[in-house]
Amino acid sequence: GESVGLHLPTLSVQEGDNSIINCAYSNSASDYFIWYKQESGKGPQFIIDIRSNMDKRQGQRVTVLLNKTVKHLSLQIAATQPGDSAVYFCAETSNAGNMLTFGGGTRLMVKP
Amino acid sequence: SQTIHQWPATLVQPVGSPLSLECTVEGTSNPNLYWYRQAAGRGLQLLFYSVGIGQISSEVPQNLSASRPQDRQFILSSKKLLLSDSGFYLCAWSQGLARGTEAFFGQGTRLTVV
């Protein structure tokens, strides 16, 4: 669910390492999930999505894993680069697919 | 291709003044439209969404309102701004999340109420 009142947790990784960002959701009726990347001062940008009939989806250097049993979503970034530094949000749909609710977000910092 | 425009990019307004932020979408029809607010270092809070002209759903009670006078136009307003209204306001559109298409965001308006 939403955690808009909390400061963003930070994940710090070394350049070239893999990153794993986690997200918990609360609505068991949600059936579509999206990961967004937000750079400072900009709007969120789509990274990858997954529907609830899947448990894994891969993109270019990114993989999303969905565990519906425990309502958990993760984003894996392979060979993390400095350009990956940003805030990452998971989002879920609810209310017959018209609402998009965001998780609290995680700040990823990549050390060169 | 579809584009979303949001303006102004930054805005400084005194407490008690009115507000009008505008968002327009091009290249699509009958989109779902959304207004989000983001406080500094925080997540995104859904304020309003609209599935059609004149149809507004409010998620958070506050002194803000939204209107959709045209299919691809979404306006966020306030009659009297409060200090707590400061934040980063984001407009977004989607062609139907239920069909598995993501929402696209504008570049945001940074509002500072002084």
Side-chain angles (χ1 to χ4, degrees):
Chain A
E2 278 188 68
S3 302
V4 295
L6 301 177
H7 285 284
L8 300 174
T10 299
L11 173 65
S12 185
V13 300
Q14 203 69 39
E15 181 179 359
D17 288 350
N18 297 334
S19 302
I20 300 176
I21 300 171
N22 297 302
C23 178
Y25 65 95
S26 57
N27 188 349
S28 57
S30 294
D31 62 0
Y32 178 53
F33 304 87
I34 310 171
W35 278 101
Y36 284 92
K37 173 186 180 183
Q38 186 180 27
E39 297 176 325
S40 180
K42 298 184 179 179
Q45 290 183 299
F46 170 87
I47 302 174
I48 192 168
D49 57 1
I50 189 168
R51 295 201 68 90
S52 59
N53 60 353
M54 304 172 67
D55 53 20
K56 181 180 180 179
R57 192 168 185 212
Q58 288 184 293
Q60 188 177 15
R61 280 202 309 119
V62 295
T63 301
V64 54
L65 298 178
L66 175 62
N67 186 330
K68 294 180 289 293
T69 302
V70 296
K71 299 196 208 50
H72 183 267
L73 197 66
S74 69
L75 176 70
Q76 299 178 4
I77 304 174
T80 313
Q81 303 169 0
D84 295 327
S85 294
V87 177
Y88 291 80
F89 292 97
C90 66
E92 59 181 299
T93 62
S94 58
N95 190 20
N98 289 320
M99 282 177 54
L100 185 64
T101 303
F102 280 77
T106 297
R107 186 180 304 280
L108 176 65
M109 297 178 64
V110 182
K111 296 177 288 186
Chain B
S1 63
Q2 302 90 355
T3 56
I4 179 168
H5 301 282
Q6 191 180 338
W7 69 93
T10 59
L11 189 61
V12 180
Q13 291 282 103
V15 169
S17 64
L19 173 73
S20 180
L21 301 181
E22 189 161 345
C23 172
T24 60
V25 181
E26 296 177 358
T28 187
S29 60
N30 197 31
N32 288 354
L33 297 172
Y34 306 85
W35 277 112
Y36 287 86
R37 177 170 60 198
Q38 185 176 32
R42 300 285 204 270
L44 281 78
Q45 182 182 39
L46 179 63
L47 301 176
F48 301 95
Y49 72 95
S50 171
V51 299
I53 296 175
Q55 301 179 60
I56 308 295
S57 296
S58 175
E59 292 305 304
V60 182
Q62 58 215 320
N63 70 322
L64 299 172
S65 62
S67 62
R68 185 170 177 173
Q70 300 180 48
D71 181 43
R72 289 169 290 177
Q73 184 184 30
F74 205 23
I75 298 172
L76 183 69
S77 303
S78 174
K79 293 182 180 178
K80 287 185 178 182
L81 284 169
L82 306 172
L83 286 174
S84 57
D85 291 324
S86 294
F88 192 46
Y89 288 82
L90 289 155
C91 180
W93 76 273
S94 76
Q95 200 55 60
L97 298 167
R99 298 206 297 270
T101 59
E102 69 271 28
F104 299 90
F105 283 82
Q107 288 303 298
T109 295
R110 185 163 303 284
L111 171 67
T112 304
V113 183
V114 296

